[in-house]
């Protein structure tokens, strides 16, 4: 059974004692009335971006919160989910002392961010069917293990992790369980953001870079208890989400029907591609996917990667990743792009 959980036991000492920077926009919050703003050393001439953005992104958080069925105080936004993940390391992991656990084959940034933050990254391979190995994970845990990263749907394998397994980890691991849901909008599974009240050690990250089609604006989302969000808020750069990003994201999140239509088209494209991939002579296995990409095992990934490149198609060669020998990862494109890929695969298949 879970012991009493208190986020204070996980916050780094320097963060606990930190008095955060208080920006001009934190100290005077506009209520919309016409005021003369001479507080932030901005250039007064209006050009759309001459003022600092809202450091708490209130408008954007309000629409996101409503859509996700959480309260705005459960949300922190970042410059991509990569920034959010980095902030988690900086809030909760003491360099050279603490460790985290990640589960290869998975998203490469958990390892890179561990290295940048001087935190040991304990790797526990997924099982051959790409699920977390709970016993092996729990064996790696010690008093310095602060976070476990679960990427579900997982990149590059494409599958979702079993909810029973995730539940077991949330219950048995006394530290923070970070579920990276970058690809959740392509999956029929319910987001773990709906389970916040049950698990005080749960942190969910999401992004506008995938289904929402906004990789260029860099908007990452962290959903967790307000206690966790308050800690991370203390250390985030004051204006980490710029004005243009807040505006673009707001418009896009409001236009959810358009996002859903594109997701529907991408999923239809995936279904079509899955059928074709199974007929290609050099493709040995196609893995099930809950994401907007498909992982396939080929006869020789290096050769096939080069052949596709020479025909103008860039895919991701994942052959160096554990359990992914000779695999290529295909992102689902537009109808036309998928047709181009299919034509090239068929041609290579006949050679
Ligand atoms: N998590 C996963 C699993 C990803 O695949 C990616 C991007 N490839 C990210 C996070 C980073 O997303 P963002 O663009 O929000 O930084």
């Amino acid at each position: 059974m879970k012991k009493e959980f208190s986020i204070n036991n996980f916050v780094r000492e320097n963060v606990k004692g930190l008095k955060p920077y208080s920006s001009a926009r934190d100290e005077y919050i506009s209520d919309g009335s016409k005021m003369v703003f001479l507080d932030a050393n901005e250039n007064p001439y209006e050009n759309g971006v001459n003022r600092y953005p809202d450091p708490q992104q209130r408008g954007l958080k309000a629409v996101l919160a409503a859509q996700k069925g959480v309260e705005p105080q459960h949300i922190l936004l970042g410059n991509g989910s990569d920034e959010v993940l980095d902030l988690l390391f900086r809030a909760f992991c003491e360099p050279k002392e603490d460790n985290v656990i990640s589960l290869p084959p998975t998203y490469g940034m958990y390892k890179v961010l561990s290295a940048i933050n001087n935190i040991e990254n304990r790797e526990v391979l997924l099982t051959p069917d790409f699920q977390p190995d709970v016993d092996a994970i729990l064996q790696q845990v010690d008093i310095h293990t602060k976070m476990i990263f679960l990427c579900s749907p997982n990149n590059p394998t494409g599958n979702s992790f079993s909810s029973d397994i995730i539940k077991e980890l949330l219950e048995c691991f006394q530290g923070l369980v970070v579920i990276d849901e970058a690809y959740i909008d392509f999956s029929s599974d319910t987001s773990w953001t709906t389970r916040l009240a049950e698990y005080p050690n749960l942190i969910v990250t999401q992004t506008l870079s995938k289904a929402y089609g906004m990789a260029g604006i860099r908007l990452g989302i962290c959903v967790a208890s307000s206690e966790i969000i308050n800690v991370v808020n203390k250390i985030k750069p004051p204006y980490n989400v710029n004005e243009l990003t807040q505006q673009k994201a707001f418009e896009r999140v409001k236009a959810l029907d358009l996002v859903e239509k594109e997701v529907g088209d991408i999923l239809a494209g995936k279904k079509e591609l899955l059928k074709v991939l199974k007929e290609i002579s050099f493709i040995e296995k196609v893995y099930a996917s809950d994401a907007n990409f498909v992982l396939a095992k080929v006869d020789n990934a290096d050769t096939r990667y080069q052949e596709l490149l020479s025909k103008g198609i860039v895919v991701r060669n994942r052959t160096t990743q554990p359990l992914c020998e000779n695999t290529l990862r295909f992102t689902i494109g537009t109808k036309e792009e998928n047709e181009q890929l299919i034509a090239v695969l068929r041609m290579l298949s006949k050679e």
Side-chain angles (χ1 to χ4, degrees), residues 80-82 107 110 151 155 180 182-183 207 209-210 218-220:
S81 45
D82 284 342
Y107 181 46
Y110 314 134
C151 184
N155 176 9
D180 181 342
Y183 299 97
T207 178
S209 298
K210 310 296 175 182
R218 316 301 302 128
L219 199 281

Side-chain angles (χ1 to χ4, degrees), residues 87 141 312:
L87 289 170
V141 171

Side-chain angles (χ1 to χ4, degrees), residues 47-105:
N47 62 16
V49 287
N50 58 315
R51 299 292 177 188
Y52 281 102
D54 175 1
Q56 285 304 321
Q57 312 97 18
R58 289 170 185 83
L60 180 54
K61 273 186 193 165
V63 267
L64 282 169
Q67 273 180 17
K68 295 184 184 304
V70 297
E71 296 299 321
Q73 64 267 25
H74 292 141
I75 299 181
L76 173 126
L77 301 178
N79 186 17
S81 45
D82 284 342
E83 185 189 41
V84 168
L85 294 167
D86 185 48
L87 289 170
L88 295 177
F89 275 95
R90 290 165 57 200
F92 302 116
C93 299
E94 197 60 51
K96 298 195 210 167
E97 193 175 300
D98 288 333
N99 65 75
V100 298
I101 295 179
S102 67
L103 315 178

Side-chain angles (χ1 to χ4, degrees), residues 18 24 42 51 67 83 100 111 130 138 155 186 190 215-216 222 228 245 261 278 303-304 312 314 326 333 342:
L18 181 79
E42 297 150 334
R51 299 292 177 188
Q67 273 180 17
E83 185 189 41
V100 298
K111 184 176 189 168
F130 298 145
L138 294 178
N155 176 9
F186 299 104
T190 310
C222 178
I228 292 176
T245 295
K261 154 93 177 62
K278 287 178 184 149
T303 308
R304 299 300 176 185
V314 192
N326 282 323
I342 287 169

Side-chain angles (χ1 to χ4, degrees), residues 240-268:
N240 62 330
V241 180
N242 73 67
E243 180 63 31
L244 298 176
T245 295
Q246 291 190 40
Q247 286 175 14
K248 278 274 187 193
F250 185 86
E251 287 163 24
R252 184 70 167 163
V253 172
K254 280 275 203 190
L256 193 61
D257 47 345
L258 191 62
V259 175
E260 283 170 352
K261 154 93 177 62
E262 289 176 6
V263 167
D265 290 348
I266 290 167
L267 293 180

Side-chain angles (χ1 to χ4, degrees), residues 276-296:
V276 175
L277 290 181
K278 287 178 184 149
E279 296 161 9
I280 302 297
S281 61
F282 59 83
I283 294 187
E284 295 169 4
K285 183 165 182 169
V286 184
Y287 296 92
S289 164
D290 289 322
N292 65 332
F293 56 84
V294 173
L295 188 74

